[in-house]
C-alpha cells in the first residue's frame, strides 16, 4: 500500500513496517492465525444507534462490542 507513511504519521498507536512494506503489530507476534488475521493495521468501524418513537416515547438502542 502506498500510503503507509501517511498512516504511520497519523496513527494513534505507532507501528513499523516489515521488509515487504507491511505494518508490524506494535506489541510483536500474537500467535493468532486464520481468517482476517493475515495482515495487521488500523480498522475503521462503526456501531449502529437507532432512535425510535417521538416526543416523550423516544427510545435509543445502541450496540456495544463485547
Amino acid at each position: 500500500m502506498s500510503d503507509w507513511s501517511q498512516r504511520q504519521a497519523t496513527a494513534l498507536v505507532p507501528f513499523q513496517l516489515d521488509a515487504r512494506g507491511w505494518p508490524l503489530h506494535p506489541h510483536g507476534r500474537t500467535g493468532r492465525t486464520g481468517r482476517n488475521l493475515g495482515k495487521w493495521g488500523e480498522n475503521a468501524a462503526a456501531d449502529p444507534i437507532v432512535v425510535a418513537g417521538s416526543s416523550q416515547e423516544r427510545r435509543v438502542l445502541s450496540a456495544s462490542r463485547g
Side-chain angles (χ1 to χ4, degrees):
M1 187 170 269
S2 61
D3 68 342
W4 283 124
S5 59
Q6 180 182 3
R7 288 183 181 211
Q8 282 179 297
T10 60
L12 296 175
V13 177
F15 64 92
Q16 300 299 317
L17 302 177
D18 67 8
R20 299 173 299 166
W22 288 101
L24 294 169
H25 193 290
H27 298 290
R29 295 186 56 85
T30 63
R32 296 182 180 180
T33 60
R35 194 172 115 188
N36 298 326
L37 295 172
K39 300 175 186 167
W40 183 88
E42 295 178 338
N43 295 304
D47 292 319
I49 297 176
V50 178
V51 179
S54 61
S55 299
Q56 300 291 331
E57 299 300 316
R58 186 168 288 171
R59 300 287 186 254
V60 176
L61 173 67
S62 65
S64 65
R65 296 173 192 228

